DNA sequence: ATGGGCCTTCCAGCTACTGTAAGGTCAAGG
DNA sequence: CCTTGACCTTACAGTAGCTGGAAGGCCCAT
């Protein structure tokens, strides 16, 4: 199977597959003409990677997950640990974004959004530059 | 004021300030020795940028916000529009992460996390590779 | 032989910095 | 006067994870 078909089958762009080979995530064999030859197993690996990436795991985490996937003697504990770490990272990120969102939503709401120059949003951004105008207390 | 003091005053690393100059976000004057000379106004701009970046605005959005900040004849509508777009992007991102989080949390919970190899997390990741084993329905 | 669609490699670019190297400047101390 | 050390300068490389494009090879149909 050539890279185009592997791309279609796995859902990953051919470019991405070449990149994954370059960084050692997969190692398809080669035909006589130099074309990559993907076995069914390779396509499974690619789909595994696609799914793991879609769940937000980093490339290095995917590498580790792949190793566990291929290791019949793995402990599910190791997989769970990776997933838990990732989950915590996502939770932190959500909390950050939520805080951002709340601040921003407040600013948006306070802004008239008309053709006059007065703007609480710009005032807020500038307030960091003029701490005399108090935001603590 | 040299770059070190501007960094302290604005909360941005000196490296970042040089970068901002390179991409044309600020243009401090220069002393005879080639050192950047930051006026109070420059430090205000830097703090403005720092705050806007902390709120998650992209560099290009910061450039636009800065232009509005400096334009006395701006319409607050333009600022609000930028902020609303950003807010929507954050909302979408939060929704994405939340969906991810839910999926991942389900997987984590279903995994025993012991020293046996059986692992619903890996099963899920691999399921994309073996659609015969059904996930729809 | 020629056209088109696939494949190959290599290099550049994206965001927003960050690190490092090699060197210039300046004030203090001996 | 010289050194030390903290500051400053530029330029280049690297980060994550691709993505686009150039230049060229392979293969099949006409």
């Amino acid at each position: 199977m050539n890279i185009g078909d592997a791309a279609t089958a796995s859902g990953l762009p051919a470019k991405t597959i070449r990149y994954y080979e370059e960084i050692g995530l997969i190692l398809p064999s080669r035909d006589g003409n130099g074309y990559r030859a993907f076995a069914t197993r390779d396509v499974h690996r690619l789909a595994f990677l696609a799914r793991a990436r879609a769940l937000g795991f980093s490339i290095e985490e995917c590498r580790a997950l792949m190793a566990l996937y291929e290791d019949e003697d793995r402990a599910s504990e190791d997989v769970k640990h990776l997933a838990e770490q990732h989950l915590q990272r996502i939770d932190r990120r959500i909390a950050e974004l939520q805080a951002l969102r709340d601040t921003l939503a407040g600013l948006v709401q306070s802004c008239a959004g008309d053709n006059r120059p007065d703007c609480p949003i710009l005032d807020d951004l500038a307030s960091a530059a003029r701490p005399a105008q108090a935001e603590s207390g």
Side-chain angles (χ1 to χ4, degrees), chain A:
Chain A
M1 192 188 273
N2 283 347
I3 198 168
D5 295 326
T8 304
S10 67
L12 287 172
K15 270 283 188 190
T16 301
I17 297 176
R18 289 195 194 96
Y19 173 67
Y20 285 177
E21 185 191 31
E22 192 186 322
I23 64 174
L25 277 185
I26 52 158
L27 187 55
S29 60
R30 298 283 179 140
D31 281 342
N33 56 14
Y35 287 19
R36 289 170 184 81
F38 294 83
T40 305
R41 199 168 158 72
D42 291 319
V43 175
H44 283 176
R45 287 190 184 110
L46 289 173
F48 180 96
L49 290 170
R51 173 80 175 139
R53 290 289 299 133
L55 283 177
F57 286 101
S58 74
I59 289 287
E60 288 316 306
E61 284 165 337
C62 287
R63 198 189 296 277
L65 286 170
M66 182 75 105
L68 290 166
Y69 176 52
E70 310 255 278
D71 177 11
E72 300 283 314
D73 296 331
R74 69 185 164 249
S76 69
E77 187 183 5
D78 295 338
V79 182
K80 186 169 183 169
H81 184 62
L82 276 172
E84 276 172 340
Q85 278 187 316
H86 181 38
L87 186 55
Q88 284 168 26
R89 216 175 38 237
I90 291 177
D91 281 342
R92 279 197 301 274
R93 185 74 185 126
I94 289 176
E96 279 173 22
L97 284 177
Q98 195 63 57
L100 230 64
R101 197 220 103 88
D102 291 348
T103 302
L104 207 55
L107 289 173
V108 163
Q109 196 156 31
S110 67
C111 176
D114 54 21
N115 62 349
R116 286 171 301 165
D118 315 83
C119 180
I121 301 173
L122 291 181
D123 289 348
D124 175 280
L125 294 176
S127 76
R130 291 162 193 154
Q133 313 225 346
E135 58 184 322
S136 66

